[in-house]
Amino acid sequence: MSDATADAQNEAGKVLAADGTPLKKSLRRALRTQKMRALLLIAPLLIFVVVTFIAPILDMLFRSVENQIVSETLPRTVVELREWDEETGNLPDQVAWEAAYKDIFYAAERKLHTRLGTRLNYEQTGISSLFRKSGRGLDDIGEVYQDQFKDLDKSWDKGEPWASMMGSDAFNDAMSNWKKGDPLPQFEARAGIAEVLPETAAAYDWFARFQLTEEEKSLHKEEPWTLVHWALYKDLKAGDVSGYTGPGAEMLAEADALVDTPDFETIAIQDAFVEFDEDWADVEVWRTIKTYSPPYTSGYFLNAVDMQKSPTGPEMRDEDERIYGLLFKRTLFMSLVITFSCILLAYPVAYLLSNLPMRTANLLMILVLLPFWTSLLVRTSAWKVMLQQQGVINDVLVWLGLVNDADRLVMINNQFGTIVAMTHILLPFMILPMYSVMSTIPPSYVRAAKSLGATNWTTFWRVYFPQSVPGIGAGSILVFILAIGYYITPEIVGGTTGTFISNRIAYHISSSLNWGLAAALGSILLVVVLVLYWLYDRIVGIDNVKLGG
């Protein structure tokens, strides 16, 4: 039998669709089309979840370890500090000081030095003001050299002679023909200038690119930074420029001769920095810069558990600086207390609603839902008025003679006030899941148990209560997760002893702007919630949690 005949027989044995396509292939195509249609239907919801839920969580996790601001703002200093042994107690060498001068000068021009100071200030108090002072005073170093070069030849203080010497002929021609409103030409260094004046070429390149791209100004009209004059001094002192014959060669030769004279005034970078702020002479400042120079750090997570990075590794903070461990314990404890308080108060209410006639139950349910129609801030403020020492509750207790006027109860700005206010606010979230489950329990079960001789208590405990447990579980999870992340109510009524870890997270986000630490605290809180959720699933079983039905 030939192959063609065999193929024809196999094809003839297949079940075909109406259009002649094999049925199996046609079904696969139809299923693929249905899947694509289903995917397109859920795509908006999927995108919404990714953008509003998954992406923020991933961003939070990234911010909790991201630390690139140090290495990006002080790139040369970071490289030099790698070879510095901070254990000796000696300050870094002169090369590191000069690298810091260049980095901070450039950062100050871009207004980034204060951000860096704020970041390092999280690790060592006082560094923020240190960088602010240094940013304002760095011009003083270069002005020592700028003034002497200018006294020698005023051209050193003008933009065009510098641009002619440091830039290529093509760039200078384009710069000369440039008119305001036209795109600025891209800076191109003169061939060979980097070999003659390496420090100056590098410093002028920073200046030129900054002026052209960020300031959008002509290099023929802008005098160079004082940093460029300092770099020129370094090159003239270290090298030989006698072989240079390009533009500005005569000026350069005169400056070279000036630098070699004994009357030429110089200033040590280290002395200048210490004059800005004596804290630069503190080894701890440089140790902090080196410790937090990697682009990623565990420092935020260590701070979140009352630890800190040190040259020898992680170590505990001083006793009086440990606050986050206490806040985490307090948050978990008070959230559990609030959850149990809600269970005790919500269970009888839900039981009553589920066993009343539907018309009456619906009317009473309005009272349960009424708090949702009132502002959270109003409800919390009302408790502050009621619980204060001159508030309604204390006045009633004094009027009844249960409390002396001089010994009024302190029920606000503490844990008690937070528990009372949050129990009231979260109570509806416990009642509704309980009610939805209890309303599905058939009354015939209770009647059957009683008809068999069971007492009211036995009927409730052995028959009714086990069927209501899924509602308790659903309400408990909902209330606990809401409570552990609350911060508005504890902020208003909690005082110093009733605040949660979420209040500290909100503080770091809105006030201290320490987003890395806030992200680390939020990540730890997320992990704690997931662990508790996992434990609940192992002990109770998440399948037993129901919202009714």
Side-chain angles (χ1 to χ4, degrees):
M1 183 185 295
S2 67
D3 293 341
T5 304
D7 291 342
Q9 289 181 352
N10 290 335
E11 188 69 25
K14 291 181 179 180
V15 180
L16 302 179
D19 59 354
T21 308
L23 183 60
K24 190 175 181 179
K25 182 177 180 181
S26 180
L27 287 174
R28 282 200 303 266
R29 184 190 304 150
L31 288 174
R32 186 164 54 249
T33 303
Q34 290 179 357
K35 289 179 181 179
M36 288 299 298
R37 187 182 296 115
L39 180 61
L40 291 175
L41 288 174
I42 67 169
L45 178 60
L46 183 62
I47 294 173
F48 177 80
V49 170
V50 170
V51 172
T52 63
F53 185 71
I54 304 298
I57 290 178
L58 294 177
D59 181 67
M60 177 184 69
L61 294 174
F62 175 72
R63 286 182 181 275
S64 64
V65 296
E66 187 268 336
N67 189 54
Q68 298 175 9
I69 185 173
V70 180
S71 58
E72 289 177 355
T73 309
L74 303 176
R76 300 159 193 83
T77 309
V78 167
V79 172
E80 296 299 331
L81 288 182
R82 289 174 187 166
E83 305 300 325
W84 173 57
D85 185 5
E86 66 269 26
E87 293 300 317
T88 63
N90 297 325
L91 291 169
D93 58 21
Q94 190 64 28
V95 177
W97 287 91
E98 292 180 357
Y101 168 52
K102 299 174 187 175
D103 288 336
I104 299 175
F105 189 102
Y106 190 44
E109 290 294 331
R110 295 182 296 160
K111 306 295 187 296
L112 296 178
H113 64 300
T114 54
R115 289 177 52 199
L116 174 63
T118 300
R119 165 66 189 97
L120 295 176
N121 200 71
Y122 300 148
E123 315 302 335
Q124 183 177 346
T125 304
I127 292 188
S128 179
S129 61
L130 180 71
F131 274 87
R132 280 199 303 270
K133 291 179 182 178
S134 301
R136 290 193 299 264
L138 285 179
D139 270 335
D140 296 342
I141 298 176
E143 284 178 356
V144 173
Y145 306 96
Q146 182 187 39
D147 291 342
Q148 295 177 85
F149 288 139
K150 184 172 64 174
D151 292 341
L152 176 67
D153 191 329
K154 293 190 181 298
S155 296
W156 285 115
D157 201 32
K158 297 179 181 178
E160 189 168 357
W162 274 100
S164 299
M165 181 171 61
M166 306 304 299
S168 66
D169 292 336
F171 167 76
N172 279 283
D173 290 341
M175 195 79 263
S176 299
N177 296 325
W178 175 78
K179 295 179 181 179
K180 193 171 183 179
D182 295 340
L184 283 161
Q186 185 176 1
F187 178 72
E188 181 183 60
R190 178 171 295 279
I193 195 66
E195 286 74 24
V196 180
L197 302 171
E199 291 277 359
T200 311
Y204 190 85
D205 185 72
W206 305 337
F207 161 76
R209 298 186 187 282
F210 179 81
Q211 293 295 328
L212 293 173
T213 58
E214 299 191 32
E215 296 293 325
E216 297 183 352
K217 295 180 179 179
S218 169
L219 294 185
H220 283 182
K221 297 180 180 179
E222 294 297 318
E223 62 182 55
W225 293 331
T226 58
L227 172 68
V228 180
H229 292 84
W230 170 83
L232 177 62
Y233 157 74
K234 291 283 294 181
D235 286 332
L236 295 178
K237 191 68 177 177
D240 180 16
V241 298
S242 59
Y244 176 73
T245 57
E250 185 177 347
M251 291 171 49
L252 204 57
E254 293 175 352
D256 188 26
L258 175 65
V259 166
D260 292 333
T261 62
D263 295 333
F264 190 81
E265 183 183 357
T266 61
I267 181 172
I269 300 296
Q270 181 175 345
D271 295 340
F273 268 68
V274 174
E275 187 176 345
F276 298 151
D277 195 311
E278 60 183 13
D279 284 347
W280 280 113
D282 185 0
V283 176
E284 285 299 322
V285 171
W286 293 93
R287 184 175 291 152
T288 300
I289 295 174
K290 181 178 179 179
T291 301
Y292 290 92
S293 60
Y296 301 98
T297 180
S298 61
Y300 291 125
F301 278 102
L302 291 175
N303 289 340
V305 293
D306 295 326
M307 299 180 72
Q308 62 184 354
K309 294 182 69 173
S310 69
T312 57
E315 61 181 23
M316 293 299 297
R317 288 189 175 273
D318 295 337
E319 193 72 32
D320 57 347
E321 296 180 353
R322 301 176 190 175
I323 61 172
Y324 297 114
L326 174 64
L327 285 174
F328 274 114
K329 293 176 184 177
R330 180 192 298 167
T331 300
L332 291 175
F333 170 74
M334 293 180 66
S335 296
L336 288 172
V337 172
I338 292 166
T339 302
F340 283 115
S341 300
C342 286
I343 292 174
L344 293 176
L345 294 174
Y347 198 94
V349 175
Y351 179 84
L352 179 64
L353 291 174
S354 62
N355 287 279
L356 285 173
M358 184 61 67
R359 181 180 179 85
T360 306
N362 289 339
L363 289 174
L364 293 178
M365 183 59 72
I366 295 176
L367 299 179
V368 176
L369 299 176
L370 190 61
F372 290 124
W373 304 337
T374 308
S375 168
L376 173 63
L377 189 61
V378 172
R379 284 181 282 162
T380 305
S381 301
W383 277 111
K384 193 172 183 70
V385 172
M386 293 181 64
L387 294 175
Q388 63 184 333
Q389 285 186 293
Q390 302 301 323
V392 176
I393 296 178
N394 266 301
D395 286 344
V396 172
L397 292 175
V398 171
W399 178 70
L400 293 174
L402 299 177
V403 175
N404 293 327
D405 189 53
D407 300 321
R408 288 173 175 255
L409 301 179
V410 180
M411 297 182 291
I412 200 68
N413 296 328
N414 52 30
Q415 292 187 17
F416 179 81
T418 301
I419 291 172
V420 170
M422 288 189 62
T423 299
H424 168 252
I425 289 169
L426 297 177
L427 190 58
F429 294 99
M430 183 69 75
I431 294 175
L432 294 176
M434 284 186 178
Y435 170 73
S436 66
V437 171
M438 290 179 181
S439 61
T440 63
I441 300 175
S444 58
Y445 289 2
V446 174
R447 291 196 299 267
K450 288 182 179 181
S451 68
L452 293 173
T455 63
N456 289 336
W457 171 252
T458 303
T459 301
F460 169 77
W461 186 247
R462 300 288 298 275
V463 177
Y464 191 88
F465 181 78
Q467 297 181 79
S468 66
V469 167
I472 297 175
S476 298
I477 291 177
L478 185 60
V479 169
F480 180 80
I481 292 178
L482 287 174
I484 205 172
Y486 243 66
Y487 72 94
I488 296 177
T489 302
E491 183 70 25
I492 296 175
V493 301
T496 57
T497 61
T499 54
F500 285 10
I501 192 66
S502 51
N503 295 104
R504 204 64 186 172
I505 295 174
Y507 165 76
H508 286 307
I509 290 176
S510 61
S511 298
S512 72
L513 302 182
N514 191 349
W515 289 5
L517 180 55
L521 292 170
S523 300
I524 293 175
L525 192 60
L526 175 63
V527 170
V528 169
V529 171
L530 292 177
V531 169
L532 292 174
Y533 182 85
W534 176 80
L535 290 174
Y536 182 90
D537 182 39
R538 298 286 293 180
I539 297 171
V540 179
I542 200 63
D543 293 336
N544 294 324
V545 175
K546 297 179 182 178
L547 292 175

